[in-house]
Amino acid sequence: MQGLASVWTSLGASRRLIAIGASVVIFLAVLLLARGASQRDLTLLFGGLEPAAAGEVITALDQRGAVYEVRGGAIYVPRTDRDMLRMSLAGEGLPQIGVQGYELLDGLSGFGTTSQMFDAAYWRAKEGELARTILANPAIRAARVHISSAGDRPFRRPEAPTAAVTVTTAAGGLGKQQIDALQYLVAAAVSGLQPGDVAIIDDRGGLLSGAEDLSAMTAGSDRAALLRARAERLLAARVGPGNAVVEVSVDTVTEAEQIVERTVDPESRIAISTDVTETASTAQGTAAGAVGVASNVPDGAAGGDGTSSNQNSETRALTNFEVSQVERQITRTPGAVRRLTVAVLVNDRRDLAEDGTETLIPRTPEELADLTALVSSAIGLDEARGDVITLRSMSFGTSPPSGSEAATPGLLAGPLSLMRIIQLAILAVVALILGLFVVRPILTNSATAALPAPGVADVSGPYGGEVIDNMTNMPIAAPTATQPVDPVSRLRAMIAERESETVQILHDWMDSNDKEAR
């Protein structure tokens, strides 16, 4: 350690930095090489398993002594062993499927099974088979099916069956077509079940079917997002990005309505048929005179033959007219826009003065009116429908960013176990040894290459300015002002520079001592 300290003190500032940098680089290189060598080439064995099925697979891997790693809900094994492990685990029936189908009926015997037990097992098997079919959809990661059926019970009115399906999606939600497909799938598998009686439930989004207003709400939110994007893109071209905030509220129709309208126009009648009926009648009669004094006097005024006649004629015309009429049947489905409410907040205009100060100036009423007209045209505002738009110019407030930056994992991030600490210690020792026996000789050789040897006779010397050693009579490098003046250091430097001559001198000295001893 004293030698190392003396070497360190003899180095200049630049060489110290070089030594520190070289040591750090060597340490990091060895550490990265060790980490890369310790990392295994792992690949996915099974993923998305239920906890019970994953535990059985891990138990089987432990019994085989296989190398594996659990990452979240997935199990990773070496790439070279993946196929063999899958085949061997499949031979043992692993991983087991979460639900069972018609194989439940294989264990039922005719002697110890009642009708109620068989019915319960039958419906469990049907639910399991439906769940398996639903899992064939790549967008669904897990599924459970529940069927409610009253069965054949005497003295009870028949009840329509119902069903509920709970799904866990792999990514995102299910579309309208997928929800309808699941409803028809379950309804077709159960006798008497209607698609509308099948409820599809998502573990994250709640009820996905069974209410018509859900699709209308989804359509309204999508339409609001589209209109908001249009308005913000238009405003960004005038006021700049980030200087306008737009909120759109779409009030949609959530109920279904069917209207039958019949309109009759009496002015536009057309005669389609005419029926004319004519009748004529003639009647004649003889009647006696009136009873009185005149009738009793001969040749009186009351005399006469009493003959009368009557003629009648009648004509009837019946005309049938066809009146024009219009009949319309209107069906209004949920999703139609009932009303739009738009709120737009625009940031004040920034004015930069010559001295660098920045001031906010409210926008003029003319500019706000122009922006209102542009936004109204972009989103299709209809005032007759009751749509409302509100546009204001205000200064945006500055709020400090909430939260903190995500911590970047360092090189030594991760749980430190005893084995990991031992590995790090070994790597540190290796790096230290490499630094001492690789970096130090390089630095010391460069530092001691110009050290003067003891016994310097002449600085100028007969060898063109070289230094002559009195002991060996050989030229050596001239000393410099930065070299150490310690005799021991100079002797070590001379021995390192003239190894062969030093060995020869030692042999001669030992031989001379032996001769004197004799």
Side-chain angles (χ1 to χ4, degrees):
M1 295 299 294
Q2 294 180 355
L4 182 61
S6 61
V7 171
W8 179 258
T9 54
S10 63
L11 296 177
S14 60
R15 293 186 179 274
R16 290 181 182 180
L17 293 177
I18 295 174
I20 294 174
S23 301
V24 172
V25 170
I26 292 174
F27 176 76
L28 294 179
V30 173
L31 184 58
L32 291 177
L33 291 175
R35 287 173 61 90
S38 62
Q39 290 180 354
R40 295 162 293 190
D41 187 12
L42 301 180
T43 185
L44 179 65
L45 178 64
F46 296 113
L49 298 177
E50 295 183 357
E56 294 178 355
V57 172
I58 291 176
T59 302
L61 293 176
D62 290 334
Q63 293 176 355
R64 288 175 171 79
V67 178
Y68 65 90
E69 183 177 346
V70 179
R71 302 176 184 174
I75 302 175
Y76 289 80
V77 296
R79 187 179 299 274
T80 56
D81 300 338
R82 182 193 61 181
D83 297 335
M84 183 188 66
L85 290 175
R86 282 184 177 177
M87 293 296 181
S88 60
L89 292 175
E92 299 180 3
L94 297 176
Q96 293 185 358
I97 302 176
V99 291
Q100 295 181 349
Y102 287 126
E103 61 268 16
L104 287 173
L105 304 179
D106 297 337
L108 298 179
S109 60
F111 295 99
T113 304
T114 62
S115 60
Q116 290 81 3
M117 294 173 59
F118 180 82
D119 290 342
Y122 172 77
W123 288 112
R124 283 184 58 195
K126 184 174 287 293
E127 292 172 353
E129 291 295 330
L130 288 173
R132 289 179 178 178
T133 306
I134 294 174
L135 288 176
N137 189 347
I140 298 176
R141 186 161 52 90
R144 293 289 301 273
V145 180
H146 302 278
I147 300 175
S148 175
S149 177
D152 297 333
R153 296 182 182 180
F155 307 107
R156 187 173 181 178
R157 295 179 179 179
E159 297 179 358
T162 57
V165 181
T166 304
V167 296
T168 301
T169 57
L174 297 179
K176 187 66 168 59
Q177 295 181 352
Q178 293 177 327
I179 295 174
D180 294 340
L182 291 180
Q183 288 181 314
Y184 279 95
L185 170 66
V186 178
V190 180
S191 177
L193 181 61
Q194 300 298 324
D197 295 332
V198 180
I200 309 298
I201 303 171
D202 189 1
D203 61 342
R204 292 174 294 182
L207 182 64
L208 301 180
S209 66
E212 295 295 336
D213 56 345
L214 293 178
S215 59
M217 294 173 59
T218 304
S221 59
D222 295 341
R223 187 179 291 109
L226 177 61
L227 296 178
R228 181 169 56 251
R230 288 181 181 176
E232 289 180 349
R233 184 169 58 251
L234 181 64
L235 291 173
R238 176 63 182 88
V239 301
N243 289 325
V245 179
V246 181
E247 291 295 336
V248 180
S249 176
V250 180
D251 185 10
T252 58
V253 178
T254 58
E255 66 274 1
E257 184 180 5
Q258 186 174 2
I259 301 174
V260 178
E261 182 181 355
R262 183 179 181 182
T263 304
V264 178
D265 187 7
E267 299 297 333
S268 60
R269 59 182 182 174
I270 301 174
I272 59 175
S273 63
T274 303
D275 187 9
V276 179
T277 304
E278 294 182 357
T279 59
S281 62
T282 302
Q284 293 181 356
T286 302
V291 180
V293 176
S295 63
N296 293 325
V297 175
D299 299 331
D305 54 2
T307 301
S308 65
S309 62
N310 186 16
Q311 293 181 356
N312 294 324
S313 66
E314 183 179 359
T315 302
R316 292 183 179 182
L318 178 61
T319 303
N320 295 324
F321 294 92
E322 183 69 22
V323 180
S324 64
Q325 60 181 359
V326 179
E327 184 174 350
R328 296 188 304 170
Q329 183 175 355
I330 303 173
T331 302
R332 296 179 179 176
T333 58
V337 178
R338 180 179 297 168
R339 183 186 179 189
L340 285 179
T341 303
V342 184
V344 181
L345 180 61
V346 181
N347 193 14
D348 291 339
R349 187 170 56 254
R350 299 179 182 273
D351 186 13
L352 187 62
E354 296 180 356
D355 56 354
T357 59
E358 187 181 61
T359 58
L360 297 177
I361 302 176
R363 300 183 184 273
T364 61
E366 292 78 9
E367 184 179 2
L368 295 180
D370 294 339
L371 294 178
T372 303
L374 289 175
V375 174
S376 300
S377 301
I379 64 178
L381 199 72
D382 187 3
E383 295 182 356
R385 188 174 52 189
D387 298 349
V388 178
I389 181 172
T390 304
L391 192 146
R392 295 289 183 271
S393 175
M394 299 180 181
S395 60
F396 288 2
T398 57
S399 58
S402 60
S404 57
E405 296 182 355
T408 303
L411 182 63
L412 302 179
L416 292 177
S417 59
L418 180 60
M419 184 58 66
R420 185 176 180 85
I421 295 175
I422 294 175
Q423 292 177 354
L424 292 177
I426 294 174
L427 292 175
V429 171
V430 171
L432 183 61
I433 293 174
L434 290 176
L436 292 176
F437 291 95
V438 176
V439 178
R440 180 187 174 187
I442 295 175
L443 297 177
T444 54
N445 289 337
S446 61
T448 59
L451 290 176
V456 176
D458 187 7
V459 175
S460 59
Y463 294 92
E466 294 180 345
V467 180
I468 304 301
D469 189 357
N470 292 334
M471 298 177 61
T472 60
N473 198 22
M474 296 293 294
I476 61 174
T480 60
T482 59
Q483 294 175 349
V485 295
D486 185 18
V488 178
S489 300
R490 288 186 293 173
L491 179 60
R492 289 178 180 176
M494 184 189 67
I495 294 174
E497 186 71 17
R498 302 287 187 268
E499 293 183 357
S500 58
E501 292 84 354
T502 304
V503 172
Q504 185 64 34
I505 291 173
L506 290 176
H507 279 292
D508 294 343
W509 178 68
M510 294 175 64
D511 292 337
S512 62
N513 290 337
D514 291 338
K515 291 179 181 180
E516 291 176 359
R518 293 174 183 175

